[in-house]
Every structure is written in C-alpha cells, then in structure tokens.
Amino acid sequence: MRNNITIMIVSTIPDMFAEHYYFIKHVVPDLKEICRSHDVNLEYNDLIFSMSKNELAQCRSIRKYFESIDMDRTFFICFRGQKLGCAPTYRDVDKLTLDKYPELVDYIGDISFTELMIMHALQPFEKHGECGYECLPPVKHSMFYFRDDKFLDKLNSSQKDLYISNGADEDEFVRDLKLAMAKDLIVSNKEAFDQKYDNAHINIRKYGGIWDENLNLKDIICQYTREYADLKNLSYDDLMELVSELNLDNPQGSFIDFKCENKDLKDIIIEDFLYELKLELSDSK
C-alpha cells in the first residue's frame, strides 16, 4: 500500500487565490485526516512558491511544474476561472526544458501556461533524461473545478484586468474563444479518456462563489501565504517577498462562500478525493 500521496493545485494567478486559500484552509485539513485514517501521508504542493521572483511575475516556470507533476503523477487539481493565462514564448523556455520535454516545441506560443500544465497532466508525454527516453502516463486522478461567470457584470475595469484580461493588447473575442475551447476539450475528452485508461480518471465540476466587493485580494493572498508557510514549515516573510512581485493595482473585491450542486464546494472536493483515493489504494495493493 502507498505511504505518501502528493496533491498539486494548478490555476491562473492572481485571480484564483481565493480558491487556493479556501482549499488550504477548509479542504486540506480534512483530506490529511482522511489519508491518515488510511495510513497515508498527504503532501500539498503549490508551485507558485517554487518560482523565482521573475518567474512568478511573468507566470512562467514550465520545467518546475512539469517535474513536480512527474514526481507523483497521481492527484492533480485544477481551478479555472475566466482568465486564460499568458502564453509562454520561446524566450521564456530555456534549452534544458526543451531538451527534457521535446514535445513542447509543438505548443510554445500557441497555448497558455495553464493549458500546458493540463496537457502535461492529462496526456502521455515524452521525457528525455540521463537514463534515456520515457513516455509518461497521464495523471491517474484529475479533478477540475470550473468557476461560473455570474460575477463578471459586477467588476470594474481594473478588476477585469485581474480576473479576465491577459494583457492590454489581447483580442477579447479570441481570448474568450480560446478559454471556451480549453474547457470544452477537457469536457469532451472525459468519456474517451475514462474508457482508454482503466486506472486514470477525469472529474469535472462547475461551482460558483459570492463576489464580495469589500474583500481585499491582498489580504487573502497574505492569509493563504501564512497558511502555506505554516503547513510547509517555510518562511512567511520569504514567501511574501515572492508574491509581492504580483504588483496588484486594484485588489479590492474577491470571492467567498463557494458552492457546487447546492453544497459547500469543500464537501464536493472531499467527496471526489475520497472516491479517487479508494481507487488509488485499491490499485496499489
């Protein structure tokens, strides 16, 4: 039986920090307790905090994310909102990354950083290393949570820059089309994926949250960083120095009270995780 499981969250930033905080504050403690009851240790990783200042400011650190997924291709959680995320160019990818993951050449400049992470998790992927070539299998247990867009009409222009826009020069129609295609690809491929891989599954849920204009996103980021530092036994000041690179111009407004299918989102995530954990433990016997 397995003794350790790592669960990693991937999302765009900074628009999904409320979900990250909700997850670490309300979900992770219960997940760790569930795992302990099965004699399994659960590790939670958010690779935002493994980036350099420059990488975080540009939302680029492809190799670190890929390598982290490769270390334990078991549990993968992705929160998606209305922000597509930036698309890395060849200037953002070093030669070592391309040598290790040569298939990246076909995607650089065409899809967003977040979609690259999703693609790497869900598709068999070529990896070259010191021991030669290997084809990595899909992550076994993937959980996707799509946030609805009912809050969009409540945003002012600067808030839309945080929660929707990827840059001043972007074409809104193209952005929205690419985001819809990215989400539809996961949904449309779920059934085929589940049939193709006996021990790998994709779970998809839609959820909503209450937009609270009185909340301050910087406060939420500070709270999340404190929780993460305590959980991982890291320096809060060092992590805050890192996230200060985000340079939020207007952080007013964020989300609370996440719901899914008339339940607290927390309960849905735990339900999904428990189902997948039982499958994983059964497979590992």
Side-chain angles (χ1 to χ4, degrees):
M1 178 175 291
R2 297 193 57 166
N3 296 318
N4 294 282
I5 284 175
T6 299
I7 191 168
M8 188 179 73
I9 284 187
V10 170
S11 74
T12 51
I13 56 171
D15 57 309
M16 306 302 289
F17 263 115
E19 278 85 347
H20 285 229
Y21 175 64
Y22 178 88
F23 187 84
I24 199 172
K25 183 70 174 180
H26 301 291
V27 181
V28 168
D30 283 356
L31 296 189
K32 290 180 78 71
E33 184 58 38
I34 288 170
C35 286
R36 276 194 294 266
S37 70
H38 290 84
D39 296 321
V40 174
N41 177 60
L42 176 72
E43 290 291 331
Y44 167 66
N45 271 350
D46 187 335
L47 289 192
I48 290 171
F49 295 116
S50 74
M51 297 186 191
S52 67
K53 290 182 180 181
N54 183 57
E55 288 169 339
L56 182 59
Q58 299 181 61
C59 192
R60 315 277 210 283
S61 186
I62 293 174
R63 179 157 41 91
K64 290 178 182 177
Y65 269 72
F66 275 24
E67 289 174 345
S68 178
I69 295 172
D70 296 345
M71 288 175 62
D72 189 343
R73 298 181 69 83
T74 311
F75 283 91
F76 178 89
I77 288 184
C78 180
F79 287 101
R80 292 310 311 266
Q82 284 64 46
K83 195 179 186 75
L84 181 64
C86 53
T89 67
Y90 281 105
R91 295 193 305 270
D92 306 310
V93 187
D94 59 28
K95 184 177 182 300
L96 179 59
T97 301
L98 290 176
D99 287 345
K100 194 167 188 176
Y101 301 100
E103 288 178 304
L104 269 174
V105 173
D106 297 329
Y107 301 100
I108 297 299
D110 291 329
I111 63 175
S112 72
F113 179 87
T114 305
E115 300 316 313
L116 282 173
M117 301 307 110
I118 294 172
M119 178 191 69
H120 187 65
L122 297 188
Q123 297 182 11
F125 216 84
E126 239 179 70
K127 180 180 180 181
H128 292 190
E130 295 179 0
C131 298
Y133 158 84
E134 61 178 320
C135 185
L136 303 170
V139 169
K140 293 176 69 175
H141 310 285
S142 299
M143 292 171 278
F144 289 87
Y145 300 93
F146 295 158
R147 184 174 65 201
D148 68 36
D149 61 0
K150 295 178 182 178
F151 70 101
L152 294 181
D153 59 351
K154 300 178 181 179
L155 303 185
N156 58 40
S157 59
S158 59
Q159 289 168 337
K160 287 180 179 179
D161 287 341
L162 286 178
Y163 287 91
I164 305 174
S165 177
N166 299 305
D169 298 329
E170 74 175 351
D171 184 292
E172 292 184 13
F173 175 80
V174 173
R175 177 204 65 208
D176 293 344
L177 179 61
K178 285 184 175 180
L179 181 61
M181 290 174 62
K183 291 182 178 180
D184 287 345
L185 183 63
I186 298 169
V187 174
S188 62
N189 285 345
K190 172 178 164 49
E191 183 176 351
F193 183 95
D194 289 346
Q195 291 176 353
K196 185 175 181 180
Y197 301 104
D198 292 335
N199 62 344
H201 307 89
I202 298 176
N203 293 290
I204 302 170
R205 304 274 197 173
K206 295 181 180 180
Y207 72 96
I210 294 177
W211 175 258
D212 188 336
E213 62 182 12
N214 296 314
L215 291 177
N216 187 291
L217 184 57
K218 284 186 177 179
D219 291 341
I220 291 174
I221 293 175
C222 289
Q223 293 169 15
Y224 175 66
T225 304
R226 174 73 68 187
E227 293 283 343
Y228 192 83
D230 290 345
L231 180 68
K232 306 289 287 186
N233 196 27
L234 299 172
S235 166
Y236 170 75
D237 291 337
D238 288 348
L239 296 184
M240 280 306 301
E241 183 179 356
L242 178 65
V243 298
S244 67
E245 296 299 311
L246 292 173
N247 295 322
L248 304 179
D249 293 328
N250 183 1
Q252 202 65 28
S254 189
F255 292 94
I256 57 172
D257 196 24
F258 295 108
K259 299 289 185 183
C260 176
E261 300 173 8
N262 296 317
K263 297 181 181 179
D264 289 341
L265 179 59
K266 163 191 170 180
D267 296 333
I268 294 294
I269 297 175
I270 292 172
E271 177 184 312
D272 291 343
F273 178 83
L274 183 57
Y275 176 80
E276 296 297 330
L277 178 65
K278 289 179 178 178
L279 291 177
E280 175 61 23
L281 296 180
S282 176
D283 287 343
S284 63
K285 286 182 179 179

